Amino acid sequence: MSSKKDSDKDSGSIMYSRGASADAFGKLDGIMPEFRIDAETALLAQRAANESGCSIAEICRTALRVRIYGKEHVQTVAQQHLSRVIGNVGEMSGQTGGAA
């Protein structure tokens, strides 16, 4: 008799984790402990995340990386990742496809 997990494997179930190329710094396989924060800061963080179109987790990841590696390094890694995904960004910056 097969379990639910076995049938999920056989049916090609959807994987929800991000692949190694989904994040500029690589696979997100480390886990940080949860922490508590005051309600107002939590609300403002959620607002900032909504305005930037990302999650609070992404805001925290970016802030932590900037604190550890420095802004320039984080920007360089992000630029390199973007270049791998869509090509040379500098060459594409003038191409909008719209009327001038």
Side-chain angles (χ1 to χ4, degrees):
M1 182 181 252
S2 69
S3 68
K4 174 136 175 58
K5 289 184 179 182
D6 290 338
S7 65
D8 286 346
K9 290 177 188 173
D10 295 338
S11 66
S13 62
I14 297 171
M15 300 298 290
Y16 291 103
S17 62
R18 296 207 255 180
S21 63
D23 186 80
F25 280 80
K27 188 170 183 177
L28 304 176
D29 55 358
I31 298 174
M32 299 289 297
E34 291 185 37
F35 59 93
R36 297 180 86 51
I37 195 165
D38 63 281
E40 184 172 349
T41 302
L43 177 65
L44 293 173
Q46 183 63 59
R47 215 175 270 164
N50 292 345
E51 289 171 359
S52 64
C54 62
S55 67
I56 290 179
E58 189 67 27
I59 294 273
C60 291
R61 269 194 293 274
T62 302
L64 188 57
R65 287 174 177 157
V66 169
R67 174 76 169 106
I68 292 169
Y69 300 113
K71 181 181 174 184
E72 293 78 17
H73 178 74
V74 173
Q75 287 176 322
T76 299
V77 170
Q79 182 69 33
Q80 290 169 348
H81 179 72
L82 191 58
S83 292
R84 283 193 306 272
V85 172
I86 65 170
N88 190 335
V89 177
E91 293 176 5
M92 298 177 72
S93 63
Q95 300 174 4
T96 60

